[in-house]
Amino acid sequence: MDSSIKRAIIMQHYQKPFHKGLKEDSNYVKIKANNESCIDNLDLIVKFNGDIIEDICFDGEACAISTSSTSIMIHELIGKTKKEALEFIENYENMINEKEYNEELLGECIVYDDIYKQPNRKKCALLSFLEIKKLLTKS
Ligand code: ZN
C-alpha cells in the first residue's frame, strides 16, 4: 500500500474515530489502556454476546497512531468470536514485531506495516490491542 494512502487512512481514523464515546451500560466491561511513554490514556468498553464481541467503544486522549489503531481495531473486532479476535490480535502483533504474519487477516491494520521503522511508536500501535488481548485471555 502506498504510504500516502496509509497516512490518509490513519488521519481519517484519528479525526473521525469509529465508536468514540463511552456508554453508561453495565453490560460492558471497562478496561484502561495507558502508555506512559506517550500521551495515550484511553478507556475502552467491551460488550460480549456469549462468545462474540458485540460492541467496543473507547474514549480519552491519545496520539494519532494510538487513536487511529484503536479505531481500526474496533472496526475489525466487532462480530468476531473471542478465538478469532485473539488470532487477529496475535497476527497484528507479529506484524508490528517484524515476525511472520498473514496479510489477508489484517484488514485496514495493514496501514501500520512499516511502524517498526519508528520503534517508539510500536507501543502506541499495540496499546489497545494488548489490553483487549488481556481481557480475552482471562474471560
Ligand atoms: Zn502514542
Side-chain angles (χ1 to χ4, degrees):
M1 192 184 277
D2 185 81
S3 65
S4 66
I5 297 173
K6 287 182 194 167
R7 210 170 311 124
I9 292 173
I10 290 169
M11 285 318 288
Q12 189 190 332
H13 277 275
Y14 178 53
Q15 284 160 353
K16 284 194 192 313
F18 183 69
H19 281 205
K20 189 158 191 252
L22 300 181
K23 297 171 189 173
E24 286 302 325
D25 183 334
S26 59
N27 293 310
Y28 285 80
V29 186
K30 194 171 180 181
I31 54 177
K32 289 196 169 292
N34 293 313
N35 177 8
E36 281 164 15
S37 57
C38 189
I39 59 159
D40 313 324
N41 189 1
L42 297 174
D43 290 305
L44 290 104
I45 56 169
V46 186
K47 187 182 178 185
F48 294 101
N49 181 358
D51 197 41
I52 308 254
I53 298 175
E54 188 173 290
D55 194 23
I56 309 175
C57 300
F58 79 106
D59 210 352
E61 283 287 315
C63 68
I65 296 296
S66 206
T67 302
S68 61
S69 64
T70 302
S71 173
I72 294 173
M73 174 195 77
I74 290 173
H75 196 254
E76 298 290 341
L77 288 185
I78 289 175
K80 282 188 164 53
T81 64
K82 288 176 185 174
K83 185 169 174 277
E84 287 167 346
L86 275 175
E87 281 169 3
F88 178 84
I89 291 168
E90 279 160 12
N91 188 49
Y92 178 77
E93 270 187 276
N94 285 344
M95 178 186 78
I96 300 291
N97 291 321
E98 294 177 81
K99 293 182 190 156
E100 250 184 74
Y101 63 94
N102 182 349
E103 198 178 322
E104 284 172 25
L105 294 180
L106 281 169
E108 270 194 330
C109 288
I110 194 73
V111 298
Y112 304 104
D113 69 347
D114 53 10
I115 204 87
Y116 68 89
K117 293 175 187 163
Q118 307 168 69
N120 57 337
R121 303 269 89 175
K122 282 163 88 171
K123 262 192 186 169
C124 302
L126 280 170
L127 181 66
S128 294
F129 291 76
L130 294 180
E131 292 303 328
I132 295 284
K133 185 182 176 183
K134 263 190 230 163
L135 177 69
L136 291 171
T137 45
K138 78 176 182 196
S139 62

